[in-house]
PDB file of all heavy atoms in Angstrom:
ATOM      1  N   ASP A  23       1.645   5.519   2.370  1.00 92.00           N
ATOM      2  CA  ASP A  23       1.220   4.762   3.550  1.00 92.00           C
ATOM      3  C   ASP A  23       1.241   3.252   3.297  1.00 92.00           C
ATOM      4  O   ASP A  23       0.269   2.556   3.554  1.00 92.00           O
ATOM      5  CB  ASP A  23      -0.165   5.230   3.991  1.00 92.00           C
ATOM      6  CG  ASP A  23      -0.503   4.797   5.408  1.00 92.00           C
ATOM      7  OD1 ASP A  23       0.432   4.530   6.181  1.00 92.00           O
ATOM      8  OD2 ASP A  23      -1.710   4.692   5.729  1.00 92.00           O
ATOM      9  N   CYS A  24       2.343   2.755   2.787  1.00 94.00           N
ATOM     10  CA  CYS A  24       2.448   1.337   2.415  1.00 94.00           C
ATOM     11  C   CYS A  24       2.634   0.440   3.639  1.00 94.00           C
ATOM     12  O   CYS A  24       3.436   0.740   4.516  1.00 94.00           O
ATOM     13  CB  CYS A  24       3.613   1.118   1.459  1.00 94.00           C
ATOM     14  SG  CYS A  24       3.390   1.942  -0.126  1.00 94.00           S
ATOM     15  N   GLU A  25       1.890  -0.638   3.659  1.00 95.00           N
ATOM     16  CA  GLU A  25       2.046  -1.694   4.661  1.00 95.00           C
ATOM     17  C   GLU A  25       2.625  -2.899   3.939  1.00 95.00           C
ATOM     18  O   GLU A  25       2.055  -3.366   2.952  1.00 95.00           O
ATOM     19  CB  GLU A  25       0.703  -2.072   5.283  1.00 95.00           C
ATOM     20  CG  GLU A  25       0.073  -0.975   6.093  1.00 95.00           C
ATOM     21  CD  GLU A  25      -1.288  -1.381   6.631  1.00 95.00           C
ATOM     22  OE1 GLU A  25      -1.663  -2.572   6.540  1.00 95.00           O
ATOM     23  OE2 GLU A  25      -1.993  -0.504   7.133  1.00 95.00           O
ATOM     24  N   ILE A  26       3.731  -3.425   4.443  1.00 94.00           N
ATOM     25  CA  ILE A  26       4.414  -4.533   3.788  1.00 94.00           C
ATOM     26  C   ILE A  26       4.314  -5.772   4.662  1.00 94.00           C
ATOM     27  O   ILE A  26       4.759  -5.771   5.806  1.00 94.00           O
ATOM     28  CB  ILE A  26       5.897  -4.189   3.527  1.00 94.00           C
ATOM     29  CG1 ILE A  26       6.003  -2.943   2.639  1.00 94.00           C
ATOM     30  CG2 ILE A  26       6.624  -5.371   2.907  1.00 94.00           C
ATOM     31  CD1 ILE A  26       7.414  -2.435   2.436  1.00 94.00           C
ATOM     32  N   LEU A  27       3.712  -6.810   4.118  1.00 94.00           N
ATOM     33  CA  LEU A  27       3.624  -8.118   4.766  1.00 94.00           C
ATOM     34  C   LEU A  27       4.319  -9.110   3.849  1.00 94.00           C
ATOM     35  O   LEU A  27       4.069  -9.101   2.643  1.00 94.00           O
ATOM     36  CB  LEU A  27       2.165  -8.534   4.948  1.00 94.00           C
ATOM     37  CG  LEU A  27       1.282  -7.556   5.715  1.00 94.00           C
ATOM     38  CD1 LEU A  27      -0.174  -7.979   5.615  1.00 94.00           C
ATOM     39  CD2 LEU A  27       1.716  -7.480   7.161  1.00 94.00           C
ATOM     40  N   TYR A  28       5.166  -9.978   4.402  1.00 92.00           N
ATOM     41  CA  TYR A  28       5.900 -10.872   3.530  1.00 92.00           C
ATOM     42  C   TYR A  28       6.316 -12.157   4.222  1.00 92.00           C
ATOM     43  O   TYR A  28       6.377 -12.241   5.445  1.00 92.00           O
ATOM     44  CB  TYR A  28       7.143 -10.169   2.966  1.00 92.00           C
ATOM     45  CG  TYR A  28       8.162  -9.763   4.025  1.00 92.00           C
ATOM     46  CD1 TYR A  28       9.207 -10.615   4.350  1.00 92.00           C
ATOM     47  CD2 TYR A  28       8.064  -8.558   4.680  1.00 92.00           C
ATOM     48  CE1 TYR A  28      10.132 -10.256   5.321  1.00 92.00           C
ATOM     49  CE2 TYR A  28       8.979  -8.189   5.637  1.00 92.00           C
ATOM     50  CZ  TYR A  28      10.016  -9.041   5.953  1.00 92.00           C
ATOM     51  OH  TYR A  28      10.917  -8.684   6.916  1.00 92.00           O
ATOM     52  N   THR A  29       6.579 -13.150   3.374  1.00 91.00           N
ATOM     53  CA  THR A  29       7.239 -14.389   3.767  1.00 91.00           C
ATOM     54  C   THR A  29       8.544 -14.409   2.985  1.00 91.00           C
ATOM     55  O   THR A  29       8.906 -13.405   2.386  1.00 91.00           O
ATOM     56  CB  THR A  29       6.375 -15.624   3.415  1.00 91.00           C
ATOM     57  OG1 THR A  29       6.268 -15.716   1.996  1.00 91.00           O
ATOM     58  CG2 THR A  29       4.992 -15.546   4.039  1.00 91.00           C
ATOM     59  N   ASP A  30       9.208 -15.550   2.951  1.00 88.00           N
ATOM     60  CA  ASP A  30      10.447 -15.612   2.177  1.00 88.00           C
ATOM     61  C   ASP A  30      10.205 -15.642   0.671  1.00 88.00           C
ATOM     62  O   ASP A  30      11.106 -15.395  -0.107  1.00 88.00           O
ATOM     63  CB  ASP A  30      11.277 -16.841   2.580  1.00 88.00           C
ATOM     64  CG  ASP A  30      12.009 -16.603   3.883  1.00 88.00           C
ATOM     65  OD1 ASP A  30      12.439 -15.463   4.130  1.00 88.00           O
ATOM     66  OD2 ASP A  30      12.156 -17.560   4.659  1.00 88.00           O
ATOM     67  N   LYS A  31       8.977 -15.940   0.236  1.00 91.00           N
ATOM     68  CA  LYS A  31       8.706 -16.093  -1.199  1.00 91.00           C
ATOM     69  C   LYS A  31       7.627 -15.181  -1.752  1.00 91.00           C
ATOM     70  O   LYS A  31       7.478 -15.047  -2.955  1.00 91.00           O
ATOM     71  CB  LYS A  31       8.296 -17.550  -1.500  1.00 91.00           C
ATOM     72  CG  LYS A  31       9.376 -18.561  -1.180  1.00 91.00           C
ATOM     73  CD  LYS A  31      10.520 -18.414  -2.126  1.00 91.00           C
ATOM     74  CE  LYS A  31      11.632 -19.395  -1.815  1.00 91.00           C
ATOM     75  NZ  LYS A  31      12.857 -19.084  -2.475  1.00 91.00           N
ATOM     76  N   LYS A  32       6.835 -14.543  -0.886  1.00 94.00           N
ATOM     77  CA  LYS A  32       5.712 -13.751  -1.362  1.00 94.00           C
ATOM     78  C   LYS A  32       5.536 -12.528  -0.465  1.00 94.00           C
ATOM     79  O   LYS A  32       5.742 -12.595   0.734  1.00 94.00           O
ATOM     80  CB  LYS A  32       4.443 -14.601  -1.338  1.00 94.00           C
ATOM     81  CG  LYS A  32       3.249 -13.971  -2.002  1.00 94.00           C
ATOM     82  CD  LYS A  32       2.103 -14.960  -2.057  1.00 94.00           C
ATOM     83  CE  LYS A  32       0.908 -14.373  -2.762  1.00 94.00           C
ATOM     84  NZ  LYS A  32      -0.223 -15.284  -2.777  1.00 94.00           N
ATOM     85  N   ALA A  33       5.138 -11.412  -1.075  1.00 95.00           N
ATOM     86  CA  ALA A  33       4.898 -10.185  -0.317  1.00 95.00           C
ATOM     87  C   ALA A  33       3.599  -9.540  -0.781  1.00 95.00           C
ATOM     88  O   ALA A  33       3.276  -9.543  -1.968  1.00 95.00           O
ATOM     89  CB  ALA A  33       6.046  -9.215  -0.486  1.00 95.00           C
ATOM     90  N   ARG A  34       2.878  -9.011   0.172  1.00 95.00           N
ATOM     91  CA  ARG A  34       1.669  -8.232  -0.107  1.00 95.00           C
ATOM     92  C   ARG A  34       1.941  -6.825   0.411  1.00 95.00           C
ATOM     93  O   ARG A  34       2.279  -6.646   1.584  1.00 95.00           O
ATOM     94  CB  ARG A  34       0.462  -8.819   0.599  1.00 95.00           C
ATOM     95  CG  ARG A  34      -0.766  -7.939   0.465  1.00 95.00           C
ATOM     96  CD  ARG A  34      -1.934  -8.469   1.239  1.00 95.00           C
ATOM     97  NE  ARG A  34      -2.947  -7.434   1.336  1.00 95.00           N
ATOM     98  CZ  ARG A  34      -4.229  -7.676   1.479  1.00 95.00           C
ATOM     99  NH1 ARG A  34      -4.648  -8.921   1.571  1.00 95.00           N
ATOM    100  NH2 ARG A  34      -5.083  -6.691   1.559  1.00 95.00           N
ATOM    101  N   ILE A  35       1.778  -5.846  -0.473  1.00 96.00           N
ATOM    102  CA  ILE A  35       2.044  -4.464  -0.102  1.00 96.00           C
ATOM    103  C   ILE A  35       0.785  -3.655  -0.394  1.00 96.00           C
ATOM    104  O   ILE A  35       0.371  -3.528  -1.544  1.00 96.00           O
ATOM    105  CB  ILE A  35       3.255  -3.904  -0.870  1.00 96.00           C
ATOM    106  CG1 ILE A  35       4.476  -4.797  -0.599  1.00 96.00           C
ATOM    107  CG2 ILE A  35       3.512  -2.455  -0.461  1.00 96.00           C
ATOM    108  CD1 ILE A  35       5.694  -4.457  -1.401  1.00 96.00           C
ATOM    109  N   ASP A  36       0.166  -3.156   0.666  1.00 95.00           N
ATOM    110  CA  ASP A  36      -1.036  -2.340   0.555  1.00 95.00           C
ATOM    111  C   ASP A  36      -0.631  -0.873   0.624  1.00 95.00           C
ATOM    112  O   ASP A  36       0.038  -0.453   1.570  1.00 95.00           O
ATOM    113  CB  ASP A  36      -2.013  -2.639   1.700  1.00 95.00           C
ATOM    114  CG  ASP A  36      -2.590  -4.033   1.645  1.00 95.00           C
ATOM    115  OD1 ASP A  36      -2.741  -4.558   0.533  1.00 95.00           O
ATOM    116  OD2 ASP A  36      -2.892  -4.604   2.711  1.00 95.00           O
ATOM    117  N   CYS A  37      -1.020  -0.104  -0.394  1.00 95.00           N
ATOM    118  CA  CYS A  37      -0.675   1.317  -0.470  1.00 95.00           C
ATOM    119  C   CYS A  37      -1.905   2.113  -0.900  1.00 95.00           C
ATOM    120  O   CYS A  37      -2.955   1.548  -1.180  1.00 95.00           O
ATOM    121  CB  CYS A  37       0.421   1.557  -1.515  1.00 95.00           C
ATOM    122  SG  CYS A  37       1.962   0.705  -1.241  1.00 95.00           S
ATOM    123  N   TRP A  38      -1.703   3.404  -0.989  1.00 95.00           N
ATOM    124  CA  TRP A  38      -2.697   4.311  -1.546  1.00 95.00           C
ATOM    125  C   TRP A  38      -2.090   4.993  -2.761  1.00 95.00           C
ATOM    126  O   TRP A  38      -0.927   5.383  -2.735  1.00 95.00           O
ATOM    127  CB  TRP A  38      -3.097   5.373  -0.520  1.00 95.00           C
ATOM    128  CG  TRP A  38      -3.729   4.797   0.699  1.00 95.00           C
ATOM    129  CD1 TRP A  38      -3.113   4.506   1.872  1.00 95.00           C
ATOM    130  CD2 TRP A  38      -5.093   4.421   0.860  1.00 95.00           C
ATOM    131  NE1 TRP A  38      -4.013   3.972   2.760  1.00 95.00           N
ATOM    132  CE2 TRP A  38      -5.241   3.905   2.169  1.00 95.00           C
ATOM    133  CE3 TRP A  38      -6.210   4.463   0.034  1.00 95.00           C
ATOM    134  CZ2 TRP A  38      -6.447   3.450   2.660  1.00 95.00           C
ATOM    135  CZ3 TRP A  38      -7.411   4.001   0.533  1.00 95.00           C
ATOM    136  CH2 TRP A  38      -7.533   3.504   1.825  1.00 95.00           C
ATOM    137  N   ILE A  39      -2.870   5.121  -3.817  1.00 95.00           N
ATOM    138  CA  ILE A  39      -2.452   5.895  -4.984  1.00 95.00           C
ATOM    139  C   ILE A  39      -2.794   7.342  -4.653  1.00 95.00           C
ATOM    140  O   ILE A  39      -3.964   7.683  -4.479  1.00 95.00           O
ATOM    141  CB  ILE A  39      -3.196   5.429  -6.252  1.00 95.00           C
ATOM    142  CG1 ILE A  39      -2.870   3.974  -6.544  1.00 95.00           C
ATOM    143  CG2 ILE A  39      -2.849   6.334  -7.429  1.00 95.00           C
ATOM    144  CD1 ILE A  39      -3.731   3.351  -7.629  1.00 95.00           C
ATOM    145  N   MET A  40      -1.761   8.180  -4.529  1.00 93.00           N
ATOM    146  CA  MET A  40      -1.987   9.545  -4.055  1.00 93.00           C
ATOM    147  C   MET A  40      -1.574  10.589  -5.087  1.00 93.00           C
ATOM    148  O   MET A  40      -0.581  10.418  -5.783  1.00 93.00           O
ATOM    149  CB  MET A  40      -1.199   9.788  -2.768  1.00 93.00           C
ATOM    150  CG  MET A  40      -1.660   8.974  -1.605  1.00 93.00           C
ATOM    151  SD  MET A  40      -0.731   9.425  -0.141  1.00 93.00           S
ATOM    152  CE  MET A  40      -1.613   8.485   1.083  1.00 93.00           C
ATOM    153  N   ASP A  41      -2.356  11.656  -5.112  1.00 91.00           N
ATOM    154  CA  ASP A  41      -1.992  12.832  -5.898  1.00 91.00           C
ATOM    155  C   ASP A  41      -1.557  13.915  -4.914  1.00 91.00           C
ATOM    156  O   ASP A  41      -1.238  13.619  -3.765  1.00 91.00           O
ATOM    157  CB  ASP A  41      -3.159  13.275  -6.786  1.00 91.00           C
ATOM    158  CG  ASP A  41      -4.404  13.644  -5.997  1.00 91.00           C
ATOM    159  OD1 ASP A  41      -4.363  13.671  -4.746  1.00 91.00           O
ATOM    160  OD2 ASP A  41      -5.438  13.933  -6.634  1.00 91.00           O
ATOM    161  N   SER A  42      -1.557  15.164  -5.320  1.00 87.00           N
ATOM    162  CA  SER A  42      -1.072  16.245  -4.458  1.00 87.00           C
ATOM    163  C   SER A  42      -1.939  16.463  -3.219  1.00 87.00           C
ATOM    164  O   SER A  42      -1.481  17.034  -2.244  1.00 87.00           O
ATOM    165  CB  SER A  42      -0.964  17.544  -5.251  1.00 87.00           C
ATOM    166  OG  SER A  42      -2.232  17.902  -5.749  1.00 87.00           O
ATOM    167  N   THR A  43      -3.184  15.992  -3.238  1.00 87.00           N
ATOM    168  CA  THR A  43      -4.057  16.149  -2.069  1.00 87.00           C
ATOM    169  C   THR A  43      -3.779  15.095  -1.000  1.00 87.00           C
ATOM    170  O   THR A  43      -4.228  15.225   0.123  1.00 87.00           O
ATOM    171  CB  THR A  43      -5.543  16.044  -2.462  1.00 87.00           C
ATOM    172  OG1 THR A  43      -5.807  14.714  -2.927  1.00 87.00           O
ATOM    173  CG2 THR A  43      -5.903  17.075  -3.526  1.00 87.00           C
ATOM    174  N   HIS A  44      -3.085  14.035  -1.364  1.00 86.00           N
ATOM    175  CA  HIS A  44      -2.764  12.914  -0.466  1.00 86.00           C
ATOM    176  C   HIS A  44      -4.014  12.263   0.128  1.00 86.00           C
ATOM    177  O   HIS A  44      -3.981  11.724   1.229  1.00 86.00           O
ATOM    178  CB  HIS A  44      -1.789  13.336   0.636  1.00 86.00           C
ATOM    179  CG  HIS A  44      -0.423  13.586   0.093  1.00 86.00           C
ATOM    180  ND1 HIS A  44       0.633  12.754   0.318  1.00 86.00           N
ATOM    181  CD2 HIS A  44       0.060  14.580  -0.694  1.00 86.00           C
ATOM    182  CE1 HIS A  44       1.707  13.223  -0.293  1.00 86.00           C
ATOM    183  NE2 HIS A  44       1.385  14.330  -0.923  1.00 86.00           N
ATOM    184  N   ALA A  45      -5.101  12.325  -0.611  1.00 85.00           N
ATOM    185  CA  ALA A  45      -6.333  11.666  -0.191  1.00 85.00           C
ATOM    186  C   ALA A  45      -6.142  10.157  -0.239  1.00 85.00           C
ATOM    187  O   ALA A  45      -5.503   9.630  -1.151  1.00 85.00           O
ATOM    188  CB  ALA A  45      -7.485  12.078  -1.104  1.00 85.00           C
ATOM    189  N   GLN A  46      -6.684   9.482   0.745  1.00 87.00           N
ATOM    190  CA  GLN A  46      -6.577   8.027   0.795  1.00 87.00           C
ATOM    191  C   GLN A  46      -7.896   7.407   0.341  1.00 87.00           C
ATOM    192  O   GLN A  46      -8.628   6.815   1.118  1.00 87.00           O
ATOM    193  CB  GLN A  46      -6.200   7.568   2.203  1.00 87.00           C
ATOM    194  CG  GLN A  46      -4.814   8.005   2.597  1.00 87.00           C
ATOM    195  CD  GLN A  46      -4.382   7.441   3.937  1.00 87.00           C
ATOM    196  OE1 GLN A  46      -5.187   6.958   4.714  1.00 87.00           O
ATOM    197  NE2 GLN A  46      -3.109   7.517   4.212  1.00 87.00           N
ATOM    198  N   ASP A  47      -8.170   7.557  -0.944  1.00 86.00           N
ATOM    199  CA  ASP A  47      -9.416   7.024  -1.488  1.00 86.00           C
ATOM    200  C   ASP A  47      -9.198   6.059  -2.645  1.00 86.00           C
ATOM    201  O   ASP A  47     -10.149   5.566  -3.221  1.00 86.00           O
ATOM    202  CB  ASP A  47     -10.348   8.167  -1.905  1.00 86.00           C
ATOM    203  CG  ASP A  47      -9.734   9.084  -2.959  1.00 86.00           C
ATOM    204  OD1 ASP A  47      -8.538   8.921  -3.269  1.00 86.00           O
ATOM    205  OD2 ASP A  47     -10.458   9.964  -3.455  1.00 86.00           O
ATOM    206  N   ARG A  48      -7.920   5.786  -2.992  1.00 90.00           N
ATOM    207  CA  ARG A  48      -7.615   4.861  -4.087  1.00 90.00           C
ATOM    208  C   ARG A  48      -6.638   3.805  -3.603  1.00 90.00           C
ATOM    209  O   ARG A  48      -5.437   3.903  -3.823  1.00 90.00           O
ATOM    210  CB  ARG A  48      -7.055   5.611  -5.286  1.00 90.00           C
ATOM    211  CG  ARG A  48      -8.072   6.611  -5.843  1.00 90.00           C
ATOM    212  CD  ARG A  48      -7.835   7.052  -7.240  1.00 90.00           C
ATOM    213  NE  ARG A  48      -7.685   5.952  -8.154  1.00 90.00           N
ATOM    214  CZ  ARG A  48      -6.789   5.933  -9.139  1.00 90.00           C
ATOM    215  NH1 ARG A  48      -5.980   6.934  -9.320  1.00 90.00           N
ATOM    216  NH2 ARG A  48      -6.707   4.909  -9.947  1.00 90.00           N
ATOM    217  N   PRO A  49      -7.135   2.748  -2.926  1.00 94.00           N
ATOM    218  CA  PRO A  49      -6.229   1.719  -2.407  1.00 94.00           C
ATOM    219  C   PRO A  49      -5.738   0.775  -3.498  1.00 94.00           C
ATOM    220  O   PRO A  49      -6.454   0.482  -4.458  1.00 94.00           O
ATOM    221  CB  PRO A  49      -7.105   0.970  -1.401  1.00 94.00           C
ATOM    222  CG  PRO A  49      -8.496   1.136  -1.928  1.00 94.00           C
ATOM    223  CD  PRO A  49      -8.528   2.494  -2.584  1.00 94.00           C
TER     224      PRO A  49
END
């Protein structure tokens, strides 16, 4: 579930670290 925000020189990518349960508890 990555969200990618960027300019021409910098990017911020917010994701979740997921295991087989796909729980979204480790951003």
Side-chain angles (χ1 to χ4, degrees):
D23 197 23
C24 295
E25 294 177 10
I26 301 174
L27 304 170
Y28 63 93
T29 66
D30 282 325
K31 298 291 179 194
K32 189 174 182 182
R34 173 184 166 153
I35 303 174
D36 293 329
C37 300
W38 298 96
I39 298 170
M40 294 184 173
D41 60 6
S42 61
T43 65
H44 289 252
Q46 294 186 344
D47 59 353
R48 298 200 53 220

